[in-house]
Amino acid sequence: MQTDTNTVQTEKYSVPFVERTGMRPLEKRAGFVNMLMPLAGNENHVGVMYMGAFTVLAEAAAATPAIDFLDKKRFFPIIKDLFVDFRKPANSDVTAEYSLSDAEIADLQADLERKGSAGYLAEIPIKDADGVTVAEAKVTVKLLSHGFKK
């Protein structure tokens, strides 16, 4: 799957570095995102996907479903940790899908209201254009209230 113009329109990322990668959602709905990281512009010195592009993709795929349901005036997401297990080089665009169920979203929202914080572990396969898993990511996402005090 090469980058095409039939992708979901989205707001600009608040981090200019992320914007420069060309990453964007292919599909996005309540609790779900399928993100694409284009190979073009994200190649390393041997012409395959640069490792940093995998981590940016994993972070965005993990956090986007939560960002979409959060009341951003009260809460924000932050990545607590991220691990990427590389399986094989990717010489094409790559995608990462992640979803939170309605029940998971309800539990996260309840924790946010009760404690001012919540969190989850996102396990995300990253696939090349042929659908082959080229990496697997584990991302811990923390959701915090703007006034959260540990």
Side-chain angles (χ1 to χ4, degrees):
M1 147 184 15
Q2 292 299 314
T3 306
D4 64 40
T5 57
N6 297 324
T7 57
V8 175
Q9 294 296 342
T10 186
E11 297 176 24
K12 287 193 169 232
Y13 294 98
S14 60
V15 179
F17 171 82
V18 174
E19 187 71 27
R20 288 190 302 268
T21 68
M23 179 183 67
R24 64 188 160 279
L26 292 174
E27 184 180 355
K28 195 169 142 182
R29 59 182 182 273
F32 172 84
V33 71
N34 180 9
M35 299 292 293
L36 176 133
M37 179 65 74
L39 178 63
N42 296 303
E43 308 96 330
N44 67 12
H45 61 288
V46 295
V48 297
M49 184 73 66
Y50 172 64
M51 179 201 66
F54 283 97
T55 60
V56 170
L57 178 64
E59 177 183 8
T64 296
I67 290 169
D68 289 347
F69 76 75
L70 286 177
D71 176 350
K72 289 157 205 67
K73 291 180 181 167
R74 296 178 59 207
F75 306 107
F76 65 95
I78 193 160
I79 302 303
K80 182 177 178 185
D81 58 47
L82 184 148
F83 172 78
V84 179
D85 180 12
F86 297 96
R87 300 297 172 90
K88 64 179 281 189
N91 59 6
S92 69
D93 296 351
V94 295
T95 58
E97 290 185 9
Y98 185 68
S99 63
L100 291 167
S101 69
D102 290 343
E104 289 169 318
I105 291 170
D107 289 345
L108 290 166
Q109 289 176 317
D111 281 349
L112 283 168
E113 292 300 332
R114 188 174 64 255
K115 302 184 303 188
S117 69
Y120 59 94
L121 175 64
E123 295 185 11
I124 304 167
I126 298 174
K127 298 181 179 187
D128 69 10
D130 294 324
V132 174
T133 299
V134 293
E136 292 186 7
K138 292 183 180 181
V139 184
T140 304
V141 179
K142 288 293 288 181
L143 309 175
L144 300 170
S145 67
H146 287 286
F148 181 76
K149 302 268 191 267
K150 188 173 180 181

